[in-house]
């Protein structure tokens, strides 16, 4: 059976394409590598956030029936230096089967034994004992909690062994669906399903950030298949005129682009693996990462590499419709790449649907991501049409050669011009949203106050003991009794005491330490305890917004730089002929700048305005007034985008100089 000559011919043409062909392939591979790297980082943050949450679920294990229980567990939360400290107390039930060791420990703790996370052990050495160390039992020996029981290296966790009759066990609050900072349960193991308050929102926030970035990243990865499209079209049009079938043309293009995309994606995957130790030091949520949490695993790693290679191949194949339909027109560069008005109609329809769907809020995370994807798609669809119209209008009113050249390039190849600015245009949407939009929750505001639940104690007796303890610790504070009928305060309808501390953070921590043994099983708490969940959500969205802004502009910079360089290579024949005709290099460079700056100003202005509108609606939903900080962040992002684009153009200027300096034109 005779083998097909398509693949050998593809390899021969790739080898004989010369230095310019190699440059185009390297640029395509670089785009694929950047896309694969960012996709893997986004995937790692999402999967790693899930691993983090799973590592905290053991602190609130599922309760079992009394006859099946082997131990009792309570979980409480206190704060020191504005950082949460999770305290887990465990007591083995007599006459029952052995309970397995909790995650991070090698054995079930004996009564009086205390195990600390490394970060908590270090903090206990750094702070005076009256601020932290005196809150925990001493004399039973100190152990260390391993990484399997911690969400982050900076997490502060203590595990204390107790007896079942210890008041810290019998008087502990039970917690519940609306109080995940406390727990009390009969257990037989540590197979919990409810993550800690401080890690529960990490994965949804990572999903939101990934949804905002995945479209620009996919655009960058698909751009790898379109780089060098003009040179490829000319070469394949010649083969088509020589008798090659459309199927052979598509096969050759798909194979060549897939090989380049696979090479680039593998390079991006290698960069991801090498950068894992550095990525682990990026703080998110409760702290930095353990390196293993950011490892996506072998099923996801090759799948991402393959997806980028396929995306590159499909993107390259879709550019060959003109070659298959009219190879002669492509060879003579006589087929204008016009856009249709239907793009504007579809943009309006999608925009109307998004506004109606988002009205009133109450969207799930999946629905919000779907709307974000629709907005991206709408601008991606509209972009080439706007560029085409700008080229026509600019050509009609052009008054100089540089402006006329820019207008001609915009109207001749609106899709190519759009690809150069698309990254920054889509980044403008994210910048407008995250710089103006703010998430804020109405929480309790009781600075300098420490509350203690009375549990089984008399509130009046508790007040007298609290005053004695605070006086012995040297803390100046006023103490008042709170009844169950008082809902205006930290206790919110629970009996206990509230101490108003005079001084700063050190005095507040000392007061909490002094009151920690006042009501066994009920740790003292401040307003940070009451606002913990809201603060975690706000912090997660803020950190993810900053990460999305940074990665978005990095993706945009990579897309702009690679596309600008590839455009110079694609047009080297036109640029060379213009130089031979006497056109100054300065005019060609000005034309490049104008054909980039005009679509960028118009389209990025539109997407940024859309992001600002969405951010304003978010502020209205949370009753937050936008401040001057948001305006400054927006101005910084706009300035950064402008600098990024001009840096990309400046980076390709030496390539333009070399291309136009060649007086002989290659016939490819």
């Amino acid at each position: 059976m005779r083998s097909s000559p398509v693949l050998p011919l593809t390899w021969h043409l790739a080898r004989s394409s010369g230095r310019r062909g190699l440059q185009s392939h390297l640029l395509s591979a670089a785009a694929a590598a950047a896309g694969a790297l960012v996709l893997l980082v986004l995937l790692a943050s999402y999967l790693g956030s899930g691993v983090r949450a799973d590592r905290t679920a053991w602190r609130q294990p599922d309760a079992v029936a009394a006859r099946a229980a082997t131990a009792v567990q309570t979980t409480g939360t206190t704060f020191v230096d504005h950082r949460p400290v999770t305290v887990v107390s465990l007591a083995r039930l007599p006459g029952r089967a052995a309970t397995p060791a909790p995650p991070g420990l090698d054995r079930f703790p004996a009564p009086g034994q205390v195990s600390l996370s490394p970060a908590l052990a270090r903090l206990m050495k750094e702070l005076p004992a009256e601020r932290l160390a005196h809150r925990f039992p001493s004399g039973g020996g100190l152990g260390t909690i391993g990484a399997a029981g911690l969400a982050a290296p900076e997490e502060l966790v203590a595990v204390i062994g107790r007896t079942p009759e210890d008041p810290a066990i019998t008087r502990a609050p039970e917690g519940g669906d609306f109080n995940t900072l406390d727990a009390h349960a009969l257990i037989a193991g540590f197979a919990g399903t409810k993550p800690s308050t401080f890690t529960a929102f990490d994965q949804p926030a990572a999903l939101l950030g990934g949804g905002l970035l995945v479209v620009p990243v996919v655009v960058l990865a698909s751009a790898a298949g379109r780089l060098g499209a003009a040179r490829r079209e000319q070469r394949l049009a010649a083969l088509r005129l020589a008798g090659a079938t459309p199927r052979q043309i598509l096969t050759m293009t798909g194979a060549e682009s897939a090989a380049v995309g696979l090479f680039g994606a593998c390079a991006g995957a290698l960069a991801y693996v090498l950068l894992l130790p550095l990525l682990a030091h990026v703080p998110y949520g409760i702290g930095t990462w353990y390196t293993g949490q950011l490892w996506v695993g072998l099923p996801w790693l090759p799948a991402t590499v393959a997806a980028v290679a396929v995306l590159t191949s499909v993107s390259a194949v879709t550019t060959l419709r003109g070659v298959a339909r009219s190879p002669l027109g492509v060879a003579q560069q006589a087929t204008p790449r016009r856009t249709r008005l239907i793009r504007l109609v579809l943009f309006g329809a999608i925009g109307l649907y998004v506004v109606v769907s988002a009205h009133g809020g109450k969207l799930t995370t999946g629905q919000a991501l779907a709307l974000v994807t629709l907005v991206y798609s709408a601008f991606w669809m509209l972009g080439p049409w706007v560029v085409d119209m700008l080229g026509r209008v600019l050509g009609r009113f052009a008054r100089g050669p540089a402006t006329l050249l820019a207008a001609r390039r915009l109207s001749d190849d609106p899709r190519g011009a759009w690809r150069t600015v698309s990254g920054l245009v889509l980044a403008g949407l994210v910048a407008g949203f995250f710089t103006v939009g703010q998430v804020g929750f109405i929480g309790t505001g009781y600075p300098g106050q420490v509350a203690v639940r009375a549990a089984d104690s008399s509130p009046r007796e508790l007040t007298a003991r609290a005053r004695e303890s605070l006086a012995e610790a040297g803390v100046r504070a006023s103490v008042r009794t709170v009844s169950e009928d008082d809902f205006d305060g930290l206790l919110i309808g629970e009996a206990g005491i509230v101490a108003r501390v005079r001084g700063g953070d050190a005095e507040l921590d000392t007061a909490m330490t002094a009151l920690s043994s006042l009501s066994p099983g009920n740790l003292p708490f401040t307003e940070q305890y009451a606002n913990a969940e809201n603060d975690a959500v706000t912090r997660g969205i803020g950190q993810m917004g900053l990460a999305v802004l940074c990665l978005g502009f990095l993706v945009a910079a990579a897309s702009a730089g690679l596309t600008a360089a590839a455009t110079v290579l694609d047009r080297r024949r036109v640029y060379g002929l213009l130089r031979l005709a006497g056109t100054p290099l300065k005019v060609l460079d000005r034309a490049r700048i104008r054909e980039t700056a005009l679509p960028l100003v118009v389209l990025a202005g539109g997407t940024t305005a859309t992001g600002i509108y969405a951010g304003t609606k978010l502020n209205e939903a949370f009753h937050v007034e936008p401040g001057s900080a948001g305006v400054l962040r927006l101005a910084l992002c706009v300035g950064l985008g402008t600098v990024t684009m001009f840096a990309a153009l400046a980076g390709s200027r030496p390539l333009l100089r070399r291309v136009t300096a060649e007086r002989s034109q290659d016939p490819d």
Side-chain angles (χ1 to χ4, degrees):
M1 185 175 180
R2 190 175 182 181
S3 61
S4 172
V6 173
L7 293 181
L9 180 59
T10 303
W11 172 243
H12 171 73
L13 291 176
R15 286 191 306 168
S16 61
S17 59
R19 183 165 53 92
R20 299 304 183 195
L22 178 62
Q23 289 175 336
S24 295
H25 288 152
L26 290 177
L27 289 173
S28 298
L37 174 60
V38 179
L39 282 177
L40 286 171
V41 170
L42 294 177
L43 184 61
S45 66
Y46 175 75
L47 297 177
S49 298
V51 174
R52 271 183 161 186
D54 292 340
R55 287 191 180 182
T56 63
W58 67 272
R59 301 165 199 171
Q60 289 194 334
D62 298 331
V64 299
R67 62 178 180 274
T70 61
V72 184
Q73 173 176 336
T74 67
T75 299
T77 304
T78 184
F79 284 80
V80 60
D81 198 24
H82 301 289
R83 298 171 62 184
V85 182
T86 302
V87 182
V88 179
S89 296
L90 294 171
R92 192 191 306 273
L93 294 175
R96 304 295 177 92
T99 307
L105 298 181
D106 55 1
R107 63 176 62 90
F108 194 90
Q113 184 180 4
V114 179
S115 296
L116 307 174
S117 64
L120 181 57
R122 289 193 301 269
L123 191 61
M124 286 178 60
K125 295 178 180 179
E126 296 172 2
L127 296 179
E130 60 270 15
R131 287 189 64 180
L132 179 59
H134 287 171
R135 302 184 193 185
F136 305 103
S138 60
L142 293 178
T144 301
I145 303 175
L150 302 172
E154 296 84 2
E155 197 176 19
L156 307 180
V157 182
V159 177
I160 303 174
R162 301 187 185 274
T163 62
E165 299 81 16
D166 194 313
I169 296 289
T170 59
R171 298 183 184 179
E174 295 186 0
D177 293 337
F178 299 100
N179 181 13
T180 58
L181 299 176
D182 299 313
H184 182 284
L186 295 171
I187 63 170
F190 297 93
T193 57
K194 186 186 297 182
S196 164
T197 296
F198 306 104
T199 61
F201 189 72
D202 288 356
Q203 194 168 42
L207 180 62
L208 176 62
L212 289 170
L213 273 177
V214 70
V215 173
V217 174
V218 169
V219 168
L220 173 61
S222 63
R226 297 176 183 270
L227 296 180
R231 180 187 60 83
R232 185 189 302 119
E233 284 183 350
Q234 290 293 312
R235 184 182 65 191
L236 295 179
L239 290 175
R240 182 81 174 88
L241 291 172
T245 64
R247 182 177 180 179
Q248 290 174 328
I249 294 297
L250 295 178
T251 303
M252 292 173 63
T253 302
E256 179 183 3
S257 301
V260 173
L262 183 62
F263 175 80
C266 288
L270 178 61
Y272 156 75
V273 173
L274 296 177
L275 288 173
L276 271 179
L278 183 61
L279 294 173
H281 287 87
V282 178
Y284 175 57
I286 202 169
T288 58
W289 307 77
Y290 291 105
T291 303
Q293 294 173 338
L294 293 177
W295 171 242
V296 298
L298 289 181
W300 284 106
L301 188 68
T304 303
V305 170
V308 172
V310 170
L311 186 62
T312 303
S313 178
V314 171
S315 177
V317 169
T318 56
T319 63
L320 299 180
R321 289 177 298 177
V323 176
R325 183 177 61 250
S326 178
L328 184 59
V330 172
Q332 296 179 344
Q333 297 183 339
T335 305
R337 303 185 178 187
R338 296 299 185 192
T339 56
R340 299 180 180 179
L341 187 61
I342 188 63
R343 291 175 177 267
L344 179 61
V345 176
L346 291 176
F347 174 82
I350 293 175
L352 181 62
Y353 174 78
V354 170
V355 171
V356 172
S357 300
H359 182 69
K362 298 182 179 179
L363 297 173
T364 65
T365 302
Q367 291 171 335
L369 291 178
L371 292 182
V372 169
T373 304
L374 279 177
V375 172
Y376 276 136
S377 302
F379 277 103
W380 185 260
M381 187 183 308
L382 181 68
W385 183 84
V386 173
V387 172
D388 193 1
M389 295 301 105
L390 286 174
R392 298 186 189 187
V393 173
L394 189 63
R396 182 173 300 177
F397 297 99
R399 292 295 181 267
T403 306
L404 186 61
L405 282 173
R408 179 60 186 270
R409 295 309 308 173
L410 290 176
S411 58
D412 279 355
D413 188 10
R415 295 175 182 85
W418 159 247
R419 285 193 294 271
T420 303
V421 300
S422 59
L424 284 173
V425 168
L426 297 180
L429 179 66
V430 178
F433 178 76
F434 277 110
T435 54
V436 175
Q438 302 176 48
V439 176
F441 294 93
I442 300 176
T444 59
Y446 303 100
Q449 296 187 26
V450 181
V452 181
R453 300 183 183 92
D456 297 334
S457 304
S458 167
R460 294 188 179 276
E461 178 187 353
L462 205 65
T463 301
R465 291 169 52 199
R467 288 170 178 163
E468 294 177 3
S469 299
L470 292 172
E472 291 178 1
V475 177
R476 296 178 301 163
S478 60
V479 183
R480 67 182 179 90
T481 304
V482 178
S483 66
E484 296 179 351
D485 298 329
D486 189 352
F487 288 87
D488 184 17
L490 283 173
L491 290 172
I492 313 179
E494 294 183 273
I497 62 103
V498 172
R500 187 183 295 273
V501 179
R502 301 182 185 93
D505 294 338
E507 288 76 11
L508 194 65
D509 290 340
T510 303
M512 293 181 68
T513 302
L515 299 176
S516 60
S517 60
L518 197 64
S519 179
N522 294 271
L523 297 174
F525 61 93
T526 63
E527 63 176 355
Q528 293 172 315
Y529 175 95
N531 298 328
E533 185 175 2
N534 292 343
D535 290 343
V537 173
T538 304
R539 182 182 64 246
I541 292 179
Q543 290 178 330
M544 184 51 61
L546 179 61
V548 167
L549 281 175
C550 294
L551 283 176
F553 277 105
L554 286 176
V555 170
S559 178
L562 292 171
T563 307
T567 301
V568 172
L569 293 176
D570 278 349
R571 300 177 184 174
R572 73 180 189 276
R573 182 172 181 272
V574 175
Y575 285 143
L577 292 175
L578 286 172
R579 287 288 285 128
L580 288 173
T583 306
L585 181 62
K586 185 182 296 186
V587 173
L588 297 180
D589 198 35
R590 287 177 180 173
R592 282 198 321 137
I593 294 175
R594 292 176 187 179
E595 71 177 89
T596 301
L598 186 60
L600 180 63
V601 170
V602 175
L603 290 167
T607 54
T608 304
T610 302
I612 293 173
Y613 173 78
T616 303
K617 291 299 180 183
L618 179 69
N619 292 342
E620 293 178 358
F622 287 99
H623 306 285
V624 176
E625 292 293 334
S628 58
V631 178
L632 291 176
R633 288 195 299 267
L634 179 60
L636 179 63
C637 289
V638 171
L640 180 61
T642 304
V643 171
T644 298
M645 179 52 66
F646 282 103
L649 292 173
S652 59
R653 186 174 294 129
L655 182 61
L656 174 66
R657 187 179 297 110
R658 288 197 301 270
V659 166
T660 56
E662 298 175 358
R663 292 295 184 261
S664 60
Q665 300 298 320
D666 297 332
D668 64 343

